Amino acid sequence: MGSIESEPGAVEERNDAVILSTVHQAKGLEWSVVFIIYLADGYFPSSRALESWENVEEERRLLYVATTRAKDELYLCYPIMAGRSQWMRIMEPSRFLGELHPDTYEEWVVDEEVGKLNPG
């Protein structure tokens, strides 16, 4: 069951809601399904965090917090390309995804021709 904040301090319970949250706002909360988006180097970890080892470690801890918000399903998503139409660039998956053991996840890719998900 999700909740929606319509006014500060007011929470309405709903079964059909999508909750949008930052990683920081998600601390202490849980949902059945969690999507963590934009897991690309330069975004997560941020380009500013890449300036120091300590900042990268803080981003790693934030990702851990985000992943532990999922009770049943966790989706880790990254774009293949990003930017404005005239400035599109190929994105690299977050370095944090490369640290996952291959036996702990199932990879899915978008089929470019029909726009649907297929096991990788």
Side-chain angles (χ1 to χ4, degrees):
M1 186 170 297
S3 65
I4 298 176
E5 289 193 32
S6 54
E7 295 179 19
V11 176
E12 175 186 340
E13 293 294 326
R14 302 238 343 230
N15 287 327
D16 62 348
V18 172
I19 309 299
L20 299 178
S21 173
T22 65
V23 173
H24 292 89
Q25 292 172 329
K27 289 182 180 178
L29 302 174
E30 287 187 317
W31 295 279
S32 293
V33 179
V34 170
F35 285 82
I36 302 174
I37 61 171
Y38 248 91
L39 287 174
D41 265 1
Y43 291 95
F44 211 130
S46 70
S47 55
R48 193 174 309 161
L50 293 173
E51 295 172 4
S52 77
W53 180 84
E54 293 85 6
N55 290 343
V56 171
E57 287 303 303
E58 178 60 24
E59 296 267 303
R60 183 178 280 108
R61 285 187 287 276
L62 284 171
L63 181 58
Y64 174 79
V65 168
T67 61
T68 59
R69 304 303 89 204
K71 290 191 260 184
D72 300 317
E73 297 178 48
L74 174 64
Y75 296 89
L76 304 174
C77 308
Y78 64 90
I80 295 171
M81 297 190 77
R84 301 189 191 275
S85 60
Q86 59 191 359
W87 302 103
M88 295 297 285
R89 64 179 182 184
I90 296 173
M91 302 298 296
E92 291 295 323
S94 172
R95 63 192 64 211
F96 300 146
L97 295 175
E99 297 170 1
L100 299 174
H101 191 280
D103 294 338
T104 62
Y105 63 90
E106 180 179 356
E107 185 174 2
W108 287 70
V109 295
V110 175
D111 185 327
E112 295 176 21
E113 291 183 27
V114 293
K116 64 180 180 180
L117 291 174
N118 294 311

PDB file of all heavy atoms in Angstrom, residues 34-61:
ATOM      1  N   VAL A  34      10.486  -1.024  -6.072  1.00  0.00           N
ATOM      2  CA  VAL A  34      11.289   0.193  -6.147  1.00  0.00           C
ATOM      3  C   VAL A  34      12.040   0.208  -7.473  1.00  0.00           C
ATOM      4  O   VAL A  34      12.646  -0.785  -7.853  1.00  0.00           O
ATOM      5  CB  VAL A  34      12.285   0.275  -4.968  1.00  0.00           C
ATOM      6  CG1 VAL A  34      13.278   1.411  -5.167  1.00  0.00           C
ATOM      7  CG2 VAL A  34      11.548   0.426  -3.643  1.00  0.00           C
ATOM      8  N   PHE A  35      11.959   1.335  -8.156  1.00  0.00           N
ATOM      9  CA  PHE A  35      12.765   1.587  -9.352  1.00  0.00           C
ATOM     10  C   PHE A  35      13.788   2.648  -8.979  1.00  0.00           C
ATOM     11  O   PHE A  35      13.424   3.718  -8.484  1.00  0.00           O
ATOM     12  CB  PHE A  35      11.907   2.142 -10.497  1.00  0.00           C
ATOM     13  CG  PHE A  35      11.051   1.122 -11.170  1.00  0.00           C
ATOM     14  CD1 PHE A  35       9.838   0.740 -10.620  1.00  0.00           C
ATOM     15  CD2 PHE A  35      11.450   0.557 -12.369  1.00  0.00           C
ATOM     16  CE1 PHE A  35       9.031  -0.185 -11.246  1.00  0.00           C
ATOM     17  CE2 PHE A  35      10.648  -0.379 -13.013  1.00  0.00           C
ATOM     18  CZ  PHE A  35       9.441  -0.758 -12.447  1.00  0.00           C
ATOM     19  N   ILE A  36      15.058   2.360  -9.199  1.00  0.00           N
ATOM     20  CA  ILE A  36      16.102   3.362  -9.024  1.00  0.00           C
ATOM     21  C   ILE A  36      16.570   3.698 -10.431  1.00  0.00           C
ATOM     22  O   ILE A  36      17.061   2.825 -11.158  1.00  0.00           O
ATOM     23  CB  ILE A  36      17.259   2.845  -8.152  1.00  0.00           C
ATOM     24  CG1 ILE A  36      16.721   2.409  -6.782  1.00  0.00           C
ATOM     25  CG2 ILE A  36      18.329   3.924  -8.009  1.00  0.00           C
ATOM     26  CD1 ILE A  36      17.756   1.748  -5.905  1.00  0.00           C
ATOM     27  N   ILE A  37      16.378   4.955 -10.820  1.00  0.00           N
ATOM     28  CA  ILE A  37      16.637   5.349 -12.204  1.00  0.00           C
ATOM     29  C   ILE A  37      17.927   6.153 -12.330  1.00  0.00           C
ATOM     30  O   ILE A  37      18.479   6.609 -11.350  1.00  0.00           O
ATOM     31  CB  ILE A  37      15.454   6.140 -12.781  1.00  0.00           C
ATOM     32  CG1 ILE A  37      15.228   7.425 -11.981  1.00  0.00           C
ATOM     33  CG2 ILE A  37      14.192   5.280 -12.789  1.00  0.00           C
ATOM     34  CD1 ILE A  37      14.225   8.375 -12.616  1.00  0.00           C
ATOM     35  N   TYR A  38      18.383   6.270 -13.535  1.00  0.00           N
ATOM     36  CA  TYR A  38      19.560   7.060 -13.914  1.00  0.00           C
ATOM     37  C   TYR A  38      20.827   6.587 -13.220  1.00  0.00           C
ATOM     38  O   TYR A  38      21.653   7.384 -12.788  1.00  0.00           O
ATOM     39  CB  TYR A  38      19.323   8.550 -13.666  1.00  0.00           C
ATOM     40  CG  TYR A  38      19.255   9.312 -14.979  1.00  0.00           C
ATOM     41  CD1 TYR A  38      18.059   9.498 -15.624  1.00  0.00           C
ATOM     42  CD2 TYR A  38      20.418   9.782 -15.567  1.00  0.00           C
ATOM     43  CE1 TYR A  38      18.007  10.167 -16.834  1.00  0.00           C
ATOM     44  CE2 TYR A  38      20.372  10.454 -16.774  1.00  0.00           C
ATOM     45  CZ  TYR A  38      19.162  10.639 -17.405  1.00  0.00           C
ATOM     46  OH  TYR A  38      19.116  11.294 -18.608  1.00  0.00           O
ATOM     47  N   LEU A  39      21.000   5.276 -13.153  1.00  0.00           N
ATOM     48  CA  LEU A  39      22.217   4.713 -12.570  1.00  0.00           C
ATOM     49  C   LEU A  39      23.320   4.695 -13.623  1.00  0.00           C
ATOM     50  O   LEU A  39      23.705   3.651 -14.134  1.00  0.00           O
ATOM     51  CB  LEU A  39      21.955   3.310 -12.026  1.00  0.00           C
ATOM     52  CG  LEU A  39      21.144   3.281 -10.738  1.00  0.00           C
ATOM     53  CD1 LEU A  39      20.800   1.845 -10.353  1.00  0.00           C
ATOM     54  CD2 LEU A  39      21.910   3.947  -9.616  1.00  0.00           C
ATOM     55  N   ALA A  40      23.790   5.884 -13.950  1.00  0.00           N
ATOM     56  CA  ALA A  40      24.860   6.059 -14.938  1.00  0.00           C
ATOM     57  C   ALA A  40      25.960   6.892 -14.308  1.00  0.00           C
ATOM     58  O   ALA A  40      25.687   7.799 -13.514  1.00  0.00           O
ATOM     59  CB  ALA A  40      24.317   6.751 -16.183  1.00  0.00           C
ATOM     60  N   ASP A  41      27.205   6.568 -14.644  1.00  0.00           N
ATOM     61  CA  ASP A  41      28.322   7.367 -14.134  1.00  0.00           C
ATOM     62  C   ASP A  41      28.123   8.824 -14.543  1.00  0.00           C
ATOM     63  O   ASP A  41      27.763   9.120 -15.680  1.00  0.00           O
ATOM     64  CB  ASP A  41      29.658   6.841 -14.676  1.00  0.00           C
ATOM     65  CG  ASP A  41      30.330   5.879 -13.719  1.00  0.00           C
ATOM     66  OD1 ASP A  41      29.764   5.588 -12.644  1.00  0.00           O
ATOM     67  OD2 ASP A  41      31.440   5.428 -14.032  1.00  0.00           O
ATOM     68  N   GLY A  42      28.338   9.693 -13.611  1.00  0.00           N
ATOM     69  CA  GLY A  42      28.103  11.115 -13.824  1.00  0.00           C
ATOM     70  C   GLY A  42      26.775  11.559 -13.243  1.00  0.00           C
ATOM     71  O   GLY A  42      26.547  12.727 -12.995  1.00  0.00           O
ATOM     72  N   TYR A  43      25.880  10.578 -13.016  1.00  0.00           N
ATOM     73  CA  TYR A  43      24.595  10.839 -12.387  1.00  0.00           C
ATOM     74  C   TYR A  43      24.500  10.122 -11.046  1.00  0.00           C
ATOM     75  O   TYR A  43      24.005  10.657 -10.073  1.00  0.00           O
ATOM     76  CB  TYR A  43      23.441  10.426 -13.301  1.00  0.00           C
ATOM     77  CG  TYR A  43      23.325  11.317 -14.508  1.00  0.00           C
ATOM     78  CD1 TYR A  43      23.914  10.972 -15.717  1.00  0.00           C
ATOM     79  CD2 TYR A  43      22.643  12.521 -14.433  1.00  0.00           C
ATOM     80  CE1 TYR A  43      23.821  11.795 -16.821  1.00  0.00           C
ATOM     81  CE2 TYR A  43      22.543  13.356 -15.538  1.00  0.00           C
ATOM     82  CZ  TYR A  43      23.135  12.988 -16.722  1.00  0.00           C
ATOM     83  OH  TYR A  43      23.056  13.804 -17.806  1.00  0.00           O
ATOM     84  N   PHE A  44      24.925   8.879 -11.002  1.00  0.00           N
ATOM     85  CA  PHE A  44      24.946   8.106  -9.748  1.00  0.00           C
ATOM     86  C   PHE A  44      26.085   7.112  -9.834  1.00  0.00           C
ATOM     87  O   PHE A  44      25.901   6.029 -10.369  1.00  0.00           O
ATOM     88  CB  PHE A  44      23.630   7.379  -9.546  1.00  0.00           C
ATOM     89  CG  PHE A  44      23.245   7.200  -8.099  1.00  0.00           C
ATOM     90  CD1 PHE A  44      21.993   7.539  -7.664  1.00  0.00           C
ATOM     91  CD2 PHE A  44      24.134   6.685  -7.172  1.00  0.00           C
ATOM     92  CE1 PHE A  44      21.619   7.365  -6.341  1.00  0.00           C
ATOM     93  CE2 PHE A  44      23.784   6.508  -5.855  1.00  0.00           C
ATOM     94  CZ  PHE A  44      22.520   6.853  -5.439  1.00  0.00           C
ATOM     95  N   PRO A  45      27.265   7.419  -9.371  1.00  0.00           N
ATOM     96  CA  PRO A  45      27.630   8.612  -8.621  1.00  0.00           C
ATOM     97  C   PRO A  45      27.632   9.856  -9.505  1.00  0.00           C
ATOM     98  O   PRO A  45      27.895   9.779 -10.704  1.00  0.00           O
ATOM     99  CB  PRO A  45      29.025   8.319  -8.101  1.00  0.00           C
ATOM    100  CG  PRO A  45      29.595   7.331  -9.048  1.00  0.00           C
ATOM    101  CD  PRO A  45      28.431   6.538  -9.558  1.00  0.00           C
ATOM    102  N   SER A  46      27.355  10.986  -8.875  1.00  0.00           N
ATOM    103  CA  SER A  46      27.306  12.251  -9.604  1.00  0.00           C
ATOM    104  C   SER A  46      28.702  12.650 -10.067  1.00  0.00           C
ATOM    105  O   SER A  46      29.703  12.199  -9.514  1.00  0.00           O
ATOM    106  CB  SER A  46      26.723  13.348  -8.707  1.00  0.00           C
ATOM    107  OG  SER A  46      27.638  13.661  -7.675  1.00  0.00           O
ATOM    108  N   SER A  47      28.749  13.504 -11.064  1.00  0.00           N
ATOM    109  CA  SER A  47      30.049  13.964 -11.562  1.00  0.00           C
ATOM    110  C   SER A  47      30.810  14.702 -10.467  1.00  0.00           C
ATOM    111  O   SER A  47      32.028  14.602 -10.375  1.00  0.00           O
ATOM    112  CB  SER A  47      29.881  14.835 -12.798  1.00  0.00           C
ATOM    113  OG  SER A  47      29.001  15.905 -12.521  1.00  0.00           O
ATOM    114  N   ARG A  48      30.104  15.394  -9.600  1.00  0.00           N
ATOM    115  CA  ARG A  48      30.767  16.097  -8.494  1.00  0.00           C
ATOM    116  C   ARG A  48      31.351  15.095  -7.496  1.00  0.00           C
ATOM    117  O   ARG A  48      32.439  15.295  -6.966  1.00  0.00           O
ATOM    118  CB  ARG A  48      29.766  17.012  -7.789  1.00  0.00           C
ATOM    119  CG  ARG A  48      30.434  17.989  -6.854  1.00  0.00           C
ATOM    120  CD  ARG A  48      29.477  18.983  -6.273  1.00  0.00           C
ATOM    121  NE  ARG A  48      28.694  19.621  -7.325  1.00  0.00           N
ATOM    122  CZ  ARG A  48      27.556  20.254  -7.105  1.00  0.00           C
ATOM    123  NH1 ARG A  48      27.064  20.346  -5.902  1.00  0.00           N
ATOM    124  NH2 ARG A  48      26.902  20.803  -8.101  1.00  0.00           N
ATOM    125  N   ALA A  49      30.633  14.005  -7.245  1.00  0.00           N
ATOM    126  CA  ALA A  49      31.130  12.985  -6.307  1.00  0.00           C
ATOM    127  C   ALA A  49      32.387  12.313  -6.838  1.00  0.00           C
ATOM    128  O   ALA A  49      33.233  11.877  -6.053  1.00  0.00           O
ATOM    129  CB  ALA A  49      30.052  11.944  -6.030  1.00  0.00           C
ATOM    130  N   LEU A  50      32.530  12.238  -8.151  1.00  0.00           N
ATOM    131  CA  LEU A  50      33.684  11.567  -8.741  1.00  0.00           C
ATOM    132  C   LEU A  50      34.997  12.299  -8.470  1.00  0.00           C
ATOM    133  O   LEU A  50      36.065  11.780  -8.753  1.00  0.00           O
ATOM    134  CB  LEU A  50      33.482  11.384 -10.247  1.00  0.00           C
ATOM    135  CG  LEU A  50      32.359  10.416 -10.638  1.00  0.00           C
ATOM    136  CD1 LEU A  50      32.138  10.448 -12.140  1.00  0.00           C
ATOM    137  CD2 LEU A  50      32.650   9.017 -10.154  1.00  0.00           C
ATOM    138  N   GLU A  51      34.911  13.478  -7.890  1.00  0.00           N
ATOM    139  CA  GLU A  51      36.109  14.257  -7.594  1.00  0.00           C
ATOM    140  C   GLU A  51      36.907  13.723  -6.413  1.00  0.00           C
ATOM    141  O   GLU A  51      38.076  14.045  -6.263  1.00  0.00           O
ATOM    142  CB  GLU A  51      35.733  15.723  -7.351  1.00  0.00           C
ATOM    143  CG  GLU A  51      35.168  16.393  -8.587  1.00  0.00           C
ATOM    144  CD  GLU A  51      34.611  17.775  -8.322  1.00  0.00           C
ATOM    145  OE1 GLU A  51      34.729  18.278  -7.183  1.00  0.00           O
ATOM    146  OE2 GLU A  51      34.056  18.360  -9.263  1.00  0.00           O
ATOM    147  N   SER A  52      36.265  12.912  -5.548  1.00  0.00           N
ATOM    148  CA  SER A  52      37.011  12.380  -4.407  1.00  0.00           C
ATOM    149  C   SER A  52      36.496  10.995  -4.026  1.00  0.00           C
ATOM    150  O   SER A  52      35.319  10.681  -4.204  1.00  0.00           O
ATOM    151  CB  SER A  52      36.916  13.313  -3.191  1.00  0.00           C
ATOM    152  OG  SER A  52      35.670  13.195  -2.553  1.00  0.00           O
ATOM    153  N   TRP A  53      37.396  10.187  -3.476  1.00  0.00           N
ATOM    154  CA  TRP A  53      37.055   8.840  -3.046  1.00  0.00           C
ATOM    155  C   TRP A  53      35.982   8.879  -1.962  1.00  0.00           C
ATOM    156  O   TRP A  53      35.048   8.071  -1.978  1.00  0.00           O
ATOM    157  CB  TRP A  53      38.317   8.154  -2.519  1.00  0.00           C
ATOM    158  CG  TRP A  53      38.060   6.759  -2.055  1.00  0.00           C
ATOM    159  CD1 TRP A  53      38.029   5.637  -2.831  1.00  0.00           C
ATOM    160  CD2 TRP A  53      37.781   6.334  -0.717  1.00  0.00           C
ATOM    161  NE1 TRP A  53      37.745   4.534  -2.063  1.00  0.00           N
ATOM    162  CE2 TRP A  53      37.582   4.939  -0.746  1.00  0.00           C
ATOM    163  CE3 TRP A  53      37.668   6.993   0.496  1.00  0.00           C
ATOM    164  CZ2 TRP A  53      37.286   4.202   0.377  1.00  0.00           C
ATOM    165  CZ3 TRP A  53      37.369   6.253   1.631  1.00  0.00           C
ATOM    166  CH2 TRP A  53      37.178   4.876   1.564  1.00  0.00           C
ATOM    167  N   GLU A  54      36.078   9.816  -1.035  1.00  0.00           N
ATOM    168  CA  GLU A  54      35.110   9.916   0.057  1.00  0.00           C
ATOM    169  C   GLU A  54      33.702  10.188  -0.470  1.00  0.00           C
ATOM    170  O   GLU A  54      32.725   9.613   0.016  1.00  0.00           O
ATOM    171  CB  GLU A  54      35.501  11.016   1.058  1.00  0.00           C
ATOM    172  CG  GLU A  54      36.754  10.726   1.834  1.00  0.00           C
ATOM    173  CD  GLU A  54      38.033  11.136   1.097  1.00  0.00           C
ATOM    174  OE1 GLU A  54      37.951  11.757   0.009  1.00  0.00           O
ATOM    175  OE2 GLU A  54      39.111  10.804   1.597  1.00  0.00           O
ATOM    176  N   ASN A  55      33.604  11.048  -1.466  1.00  0.00           N
ATOM    177  CA  ASN A  55      32.292  11.355  -2.039  1.00  0.00           C
ATOM    178  C   ASN A  55      31.703  10.166  -2.785  1.00  0.00           C
ATOM    179  O   ASN A  55      30.499   9.923  -2.728  1.00  0.00           O
ATOM    180  CB  ASN A  55      32.389  12.567  -2.970  1.00  0.00           C
ATOM    181  CG  ASN A  55      32.641  13.847  -2.210  1.00  0.00           C
ATOM    182  OD1 ASN A  55      32.447  13.933  -1.000  1.00  0.00           O
ATOM    183  ND2 ASN A  55      33.101  14.860  -2.921  1.00  0.00           N
ATOM    184  N   VAL A  56      32.547   9.414  -3.474  1.00  0.00           N
ATOM    185  CA  VAL A  56      32.069   8.205  -4.160  1.00  0.00           C
ATOM    186  C   VAL A  56      31.554   7.203  -3.130  1.00  0.00           C
ATOM    187  O   VAL A  56      30.510   6.582  -3.320  1.00  0.00           O
ATOM    188  CB  VAL A  56      33.170   7.583  -5.047  1.00  0.00           C
ATOM    189  CG1 VAL A  56      32.754   6.214  -5.574  1.00  0.00           C
ATOM    190  CG2 VAL A  56      33.507   8.516  -6.207  1.00  0.00           C
ATOM    191  N   GLU A  57      32.270   7.079  -2.023  1.00  0.00           N
ATOM    192  CA  GLU A  57      31.827   6.163  -0.961  1.00  0.00           C
ATOM    193  C   GLU A  57      30.484   6.602  -0.375  1.00  0.00           C
ATOM    194  O   GLU A  57      29.638   5.758  -0.069  1.00  0.00           O
ATOM    195  CB  GLU A  57      32.881   6.062   0.142  1.00  0.00           C
ATOM    196  CG  GLU A  57      34.105   5.271  -0.281  1.00  0.00           C
ATOM    197  CD  GLU A  57      33.753   3.863  -0.745  1.00  0.00           C
ATOM    198  OE1 GLU A  57      33.137   3.113   0.034  1.00  0.00           O
ATOM    199  OE2 GLU A  57      34.081   3.524  -1.891  1.00  0.00           O
ATOM    200  N   GLU A  58      30.272   7.885  -0.223  1.00  0.00           N
ATOM    201  CA  GLU A  58      28.986   8.392   0.280  1.00  0.00           C
ATOM    202  C   GLU A  58      27.862   8.066  -0.704  1.00  0.00           C
ATOM    203  O   GLU A  58      26.773   7.659  -0.315  1.00  0.00           O
ATOM    204  CB  GLU A  58      29.051   9.896   0.536  1.00  0.00           C
ATOM    205  CG  GLU A  58      27.746  10.498   1.001  1.00  0.00           C
ATOM    206  CD  GLU A  58      27.200   9.919   2.304  1.00  0.00           C
ATOM    207  OE1 GLU A  58      27.989   9.378   3.121  1.00  0.00           O
ATOM    208  OE2 GLU A  58      25.969  10.000   2.508  1.00  0.00           O
ATOM    209  N   GLU A  59      28.133   8.211  -1.991  1.00  0.00           N
ATOM    210  CA  GLU A  59      27.144   7.854  -3.015  1.00  0.00           C
ATOM    211  C   GLU A  59      26.859   6.346  -2.991  1.00  0.00           C
ATOM    212  O   GLU A  59      25.726   5.925  -3.184  1.00  0.00           O
ATOM    213  CB  GLU A  59      27.629   8.279  -4.397  1.00  0.00           C
ATOM    214  CG  GLU A  59      27.782   9.765  -4.548  1.00  0.00           C
ATOM    215  CD  GLU A  59      26.556  10.439  -5.115  1.00  0.00           C
ATOM    216  OE1 GLU A  59      26.123  10.050  -6.214  1.00  0.00           O
ATOM    217  OE2 GLU A  59      26.051  11.366  -4.466  1.00  0.00           O
ATOM    218  N   ARG A  60      27.882   5.541  -2.740  1.00  0.00           N
ATOM    219  CA  ARG A  60      27.699   4.094  -2.628  1.00  0.00           C
ATOM    220  C   ARG A  60      26.773   3.779  -1.458  1.00  0.00           C
ATOM    221  O   ARG A  60      25.881   2.943  -1.552  1.00  0.00           O
ATOM    222  CB  ARG A  60      29.045   3.394  -2.463  1.00  0.00           C
ATOM    223  CG  ARG A  60      28.939   1.873  -2.422  1.00  0.00           C
ATOM    224  CD  ARG A  60      30.291   1.186  -2.307  1.00  0.00           C
ATOM    225  NE  ARG A  60      30.921   1.135  -3.626  1.00  0.00           N
ATOM    226  CZ  ARG A  60      31.968   1.862  -4.004  1.00  0.00           C
ATOM    227  NH1 ARG A  60      32.548   2.686  -3.166  1.00  0.00           N
ATOM    228  NH2 ARG A  60      32.453   1.735  -5.214  1.00  0.00           N
ATOM    229  N   ARG A  61      26.963   4.458  -0.333  1.00  0.00           N
ATOM    230  CA  ARG A  61      26.088   4.260   0.835  1.00  0.00           C
ATOM    231  C   ARG A  61      24.652   4.686   0.516  1.00  0.00           C
ATOM    232  O   ARG A  61      23.693   4.024   0.906  1.00  0.00           O
ATOM    233  CB  ARG A  61      26.619   5.019   2.043  1.00  0.00           C
ATOM    234  CG  ARG A  61      27.843   4.363   2.677  1.00  0.00           C
ATOM    235  CD  ARG A  61      28.248   5.034   3.977  1.00  0.00           C
ATOM    236  NE  ARG A  61      28.858   6.336   3.790  1.00  0.00           N
ATOM    237  CZ  ARG A  61      30.141   6.534   3.521  1.00  0.00           C
ATOM    238  NH1 ARG A  61      30.966   5.507   3.393  1.00  0.00           N
ATOM    239  NH2 ARG A  61      30.616   7.760   3.362  1.00  0.00           N
TER     240      ARG A  61
END
